[in-house]
Amino acid sequence: MRRSIIIAVVFFIFLAPATTFSQAKKEAWTIAAIPSSIRIDPVTNKVIEDRFLSNKTVASSVASRNWIYDGTKVKLSAAKGEYVSFQVLLTNRSATPLKGIAIDMSSFKKDDSVWDIEPELFLEWSVEVKTPSTGYPKATLGNGWYPDALIPMQYIQQKPVTQSNGWVYPLQLPDFNNRIDKQISQIFWVDQYIPLDASPGTYTAEVEVTIDNIVKKIPVEINIWNFTVPNENNLKASLQHEG
């Protein structure tokens, strides 16, 4: 009897990881959410600022689980009259390019109340740094690809149809236009302005990515605090630009 139990336990230990790994292999692409305060290298899928983080474990796992995303849901908090932001990370886990990528997000709602101000979606355009910055040897993050410009998704024309002020931009990974060699990830930026008349409480929405009729969603929650950010400037500043 004891021998049978030991054999069963050993069998389970070896079987469980194999099943999980098999399921992961079948997943050609994944999506996750990351905070607005970090940047992901689209080639290595690692946090660019990880050299400044003392906890390397956090740096290595932040793409799948972090302080705003528990692996299944995004949770944010904000006051009325301010912007709240996060990023959506799309990762290609296969050797086949992903084509016909579509991303969308629903409006935030609570009960029967739906915000008129919709989330704003942007495609993050990366730039390649080939020569490190000089004069700041301890601060430079070195060569590589850096997410930089934000292209509003509303101006990206993904299909060959007539559209004024549109840019024909077939979304695919690797990105045909950005020309990132060995790119495995594409990052999208999400902005949401909190209406001044929003009542306190929790509002929900969903961000979804569709590829080849396969839809994956991430629920998003925003907890609205019961105060408003004043629409006035109480800080005097002197700005000087030298170039």
Side-chain angles (χ1 to χ4, degrees), residues 81-180:
E82 71 170 334
Y83 276 92
V84 64
S85 306
F86 67 97
Q87 300 173 85
V88 177
L89 177 68
L90 168 63
T91 302
N92 186 0
R93 302 191 180 280
S94 70
T96 305
L98 302 178
K99 297 183 179 181
I101 301 169
I103 182 171
D104 195 13
M105 187 169 178
S106 60
S107 297
F108 281 92
K109 64 180 182 179
K110 183 182 72 169
D111 300 327
D112 295 331
S113 175
V114 181
W115 289 349
D116 293 331
I117 302 176
E118 299 178 349
E120 297 177 85
L121 303 178
F122 302 85
L123 176 72
E124 297 190 20
W125 180 276
S126 295
V127 295
E128 185 180 15
V129 175
K130 297 183 178 180
T131 303
S133 302
T134 58
Y136 304 92
K138 293 184 178 181
T140 179
L141 292 172
N143 297 352
W145 288 92
Y146 292 79
D148 185 49
L150 299 179
I151 304 174
M153 293 295 296
Q154 68 184 88
Y155 296 120
I156 293 180
Q157 180 177 323
Q158 300 182 48
K159 297 181 180 180
V161 295
T162 303
Q163 175 181 320
S164 60
N165 66 10
W167 178 20
V168 177
Y169 196 119
L171 278 181
Q172 56 190 48
L173 181 58
D175 189 335
F176 174 80
N177 289 281
N178 209 166
R179 306 286 179 162
I180 303 175

Side-chain angles (χ1 to χ4, degrees), residues 11-111:
F11 178 76
F12 175 78
I13 291 174
F14 281 96
L15 179 62
T19 304
T20 303
F21 179 72
S22 176
Q23 291 174 346
K25 285 187 65 177
K26 293 179 181 179
E27 205 166 16
W29 55 277
T30 59
I31 57 174
I34 56 177
S36 59
S37 57
I38 65 173
R39 292 175 294 178
I40 296 291
D41 186 318
V43 175
T44 64
N45 225 31
K46 295 181 179 179
V47 179
I48 294 175
E49 292 85 0
D50 65 352
R51 63 170 293 184
F52 294 122
L53 296 178
S54 58
N55 191 334
K56 297 300 181 182
T57 302
V58 173
S60 62
S61 62
V62 72
S64 58
R65 190 182 299 269
N66 49 69
W67 49 94
I68 69 161
Y69 180 63
D70 62 4
T72 58
K73 180 187 296 183
V74 174
K75 291 186 177 181
L76 305 166
S77 296
K80 293 177 284 186
E82 71 170 334
Y83 276 92
V84 64
S85 306
F86 67 97
Q87 300 173 85
V88 177
L89 177 68
L90 168 63
T91 302
N92 186 0
R93 302 191 180 280
S94 70
T96 305
L98 302 178
K99 297 183 179 181
I101 301 169
I103 182 171
D104 195 13
M105 187 169 178
S106 60
S107 297
F108 281 92
K109 64 180 182 179
K110 183 182 72 169
D111 300 327

